[in-house]
Amino acid sequence: MVPHGTSLGATAETLHLGTTIRYHYRNGSALATVVERTSERVTFVGEDCDGTFTHDQIDRLFATDRLQVVLDDELHLPDGASLER
C-alpha cells in the first residue's frame, strides 16, 4: 500500500476514457470519471465536480496530490452524462 501523499509518478497519459479519479478541490473532494481525452485535454465529470484540463495541468494536479487515480469498476457520472467515444 502506498501512503496518502505519495506519488507514483502518474501523468496525463495515465488517464483514459472510463478512468475513475478523485479530484481534491478547494472545498472538498469528489469521485469523477474521465469522459473525454484528446491530444491536448482531459475532461472528467462526477456528481459533485467536473473539469477540463490540459495535459500540463493534469500533470501538476497529480504532482500536488490533488488528483488521484482510483481503482474502481464503477462509473461516477451524473444522470445524463456519458463517455465520448
Side-chain angles (χ1 to χ4, degrees), residues 16-29:
H16 297 280
L17 292 180
T19 301
T20 298
I21 56 97
R22 176 167 294 281
Y23 177 50
H24 297 273
Y25 48 91
R26 198 170 289 186
N27 297 324
S29 68

Side-chain angles (χ1 to χ4, degrees), residues 10 13 45 73-74 79:
E13 295 301 318
V45 176
D73 61 353
E74 294 181 36
D79 290 338

Side-chain angles (χ1 to χ4, degrees), residues 15 19 21 23 30-36 42-46 49-53 58 61 67 77:
L15 301 179
T19 301
I21 56 97
Y23 177 50
L31 292 174
T33 299
V34 175
V35 295
E36 184 179 18
V42 174
T43 300
F44 54 82
V45 176
C49 71
D50 58 65
T52 299
F53 297 94
I58 292 287
L61 290 171
L67 191 67
L77 298 171

Side-chain angles (χ1 to χ4, degrees), residues 59-72:
D59 292 347
R60 286 194 300 274
L61 290 171
F62 274 129
T64 58
D65 207 29
R66 290 187 55 213
L67 191 67
Q68 300 162 325
V69 173
V70 176
L71 301 178
D72 191 352

